[in-house]
Amino acid sequence: MKTNGKRLTELWLAVCLLSAQVVSAQVDEAAGLKRSLGRIADSEALVDALNRLAMISYETSADTTFYYTVRARRLADSLDYDKGKADALNNLGVVYDIKGNQQLALKYYNDANLAYTRLDDSVNQVQTAMNIGGVYKQLGKDQRSLEYFRSALKLGYQLSNDSILSLVIYNYLLWFPTQIPLEEKRQYIREATAIASRYNDARVLIALDHLIAKELIEQGDRKGGIALWDSVINRAIRKQLYYVSMDMLVEIADYFVPDDADRAAAYYRRGLEIAKNHEYLFYRRLFARKLFDLHTSRNEQQEAASYGQLLIALFDEQEQLDNSAGIDYLDYAIKEQQFERLAERARYQTFFLVLAVVGCVLAIGISVVIRRTLKISRRLNAQIVEQNQQMLITLNALEQSQAENGRMMRIVAHDLRNPIGAIGSAASLMLEADNLPINEQKMLKLVHKSAADALDLVNDLLHTHERPDDLPKDTVDLDRLLHYCVDQMAVKAAAKNQLITLHSHPSLIVANREKLWRVFNNLIGNAIKFSSPGERIVVSLEVNPNHVLISVRDQGIGIPEHLRTKVFDMFTDARRQGTEGEQPFGLGLAISKQIVEAHGGRIWFEGNADGTPGTTFFVELPR
């Protein structure tokens, strides 16, 4: 059984590795490649030539295959030539497969398969998957073997160049003859025959006919099967496929041993002659042993003795070859694994060394940056200290200036109280006169009220620096307050032929009525001041759940962009004359802002939403 398994392996390798070549062509190609090695200038081409020479040399000598494969692999590694490395790995798998070391064969076939997968080399992926399946079969792991063969078949059917597929099908049928249904087996044979015929693959066609012959015998057609088997052997020999014919001759001779020993001996002698002519030492020993056993079983002492002597001579020859070769295949694999581990360790060490160098460079860089940053920080700190000192000096000057301005403002405000009070008193006395016309009474009341308001404004100036939160507050109806403001400013607007329109409705808030009156008077007064005669001013009140919004919209000269950030400043330089030369004081909007913020609100302005000239001021107050 072990011998049959060995023969099956040899037949499988013979068909797998040299499926499309004949022996004479291989011999010629090998001779040509050997002569050309020294003339190949391209390094990658030299790797390909060495790998090819290794592949076609296995029939004559596994040592030769190993020698050229090692050369190819070393050169491919130095060139980092991925295709050359993958081919060399596959060749190493072949060497260990021939030598009977299935574990190492499996390792190198698998490494080659992974390399071909990275290269997207589908044809060689199929071949290496098939080789892996064959090795698993030899190891008795049928399920794993089936998985790889089915994977090879699946990928083979997807190839545009499907020449490899016939070889996969043949080996699938060779390894699993009893696990494939008869009709499915016949379908596979028809497909493989069609593919091999299309590519003129003589070796696969002969191997397929060998399977058909054996199947005929198994089906009961002994005569037809033997005739086809004989024909297949003769065809293989005519086409110089001697390596394939060896196993066929062994199998057919073994078949005839039980009932036709003479015919079996004839097949054995024919195989021995071919093996002798082509220096197949393994097969010479195999056929010599078969003939020795056959003649011994028939008690033919003289013939048995001659083949026994031949066997001894052949074993001596094998021993001399093994000793002269001096190749330790297992030692090569062990050293390669050690080298791979050392290389992996070196890669890790290099990686960590690079990390260390990068870390050092980063540390140096960070140190330089920190040092420069510290220098810059010291310089900036010195500048900041200097600027702080200048700011303190400036702040002191500003405080002195502000104090002086406040003092002057209080003096001016104090001095204004007397003439304004006199105006109010005069108006009050005039109102006491009898029989005054209604229009005059109205005008005198307005003068009296304006004088009182002016006194309040002066008082505001005197108390500008007091806390706004101390304002006394009460419930105020904004609708009535706005009507009062509009009525009061109507006379001033009429002087410029302007019209003030109010859109309002009752709304109560907690506020200081007098302060808000000053805010709205300021806003309406500014609208009158900066609007041309005949323009319209619109005052609106909008009530929301949490706040009220008062807007004063004019169609006046607007606020230039460069003054927009200054209009709410106290004593601002953004003062401008009105459209008819009215003089500005630069206090109204600043005071209004203080009052609104003291009420928890906010004041701002925008250009008119409809794009017309003018400005809209908004006051938002909480409810």
Side-chain angles (χ1 to χ4, degrees), residues 510-544:
V510 176
N512 185 296
R513 183 182 183 281
E514 297 301 325
K515 300 296 184 184
L516 291 184
W517 170 81
R518 289 182 181 83
V519 172
F520 301 141
N521 259 19
N522 275 331
L523 296 180
I524 296 171
N526 282 344
I528 293 170
K529 182 189 300 182
F530 295 110
S531 295
S532 300
E535 297 291 351
R536 183 182 178 188
I537 298 166
V538 180
V539 180
S540 300
L541 170 62
E542 179 183 333
V543 180
N544 294 297

Side-chain angles (χ1 to χ4, degrees), residues 468-469 471 473 515-516 518-520 523 548 550 568 588-604 618-622:
D469 292 342
L471 290 174
K473 296 178 183 179
K515 300 296 184 184
L516 291 184
R518 289 182 181 83
V519 172
F520 301 141
L523 296 180
V548 293
I550 302 95
F568 291 111
L589 289 178
I591 294 173
S592 297
K593 185 172 185 293
Q594 285 184 356
I595 294 171
V596 171
E597 291 178 350
H599 283 81
R602 63 191 185 102
I603 182 171
W604 74 96
F618 297 92
V619 174
E620 182 182 273
L621 297 170

Side-chain angles (χ1 to χ4, degrees), residues 216 233 291 308 381 402 439 584:
L216 288 174
I233 292 171
L291 287 165
N381 286 337
Q402 184 178 7
N439 289 337

Side-chain angles (χ1 to χ4, degrees), residues 354-366:
V354 170
L355 280 182
V357 171
V358 171
C360 290
V361 171
L362 286 175
I364 293 171
I366 292 171

Side-chain angles (χ1 to χ4, degrees), residues 114-123 125:
L114 293 175
Y116 287 131
T117 301
R118 288 191 295 270
L119 292 169
D120 199 22
D121 187 341
S122 300
V123 173
Q125 281 180 255

Side-chain angles (χ1 to χ4, degrees), residues 160-175:
S160 56
N161 179 6
D162 59 354
S163 58
I164 190 69
L165 184 57
S166 62
L167 184 58
V168 178
I169 293 173
Y170 165 74
N171 282 295
Y172 181 50
L173 299 176
L174 178 69
W175 285 118

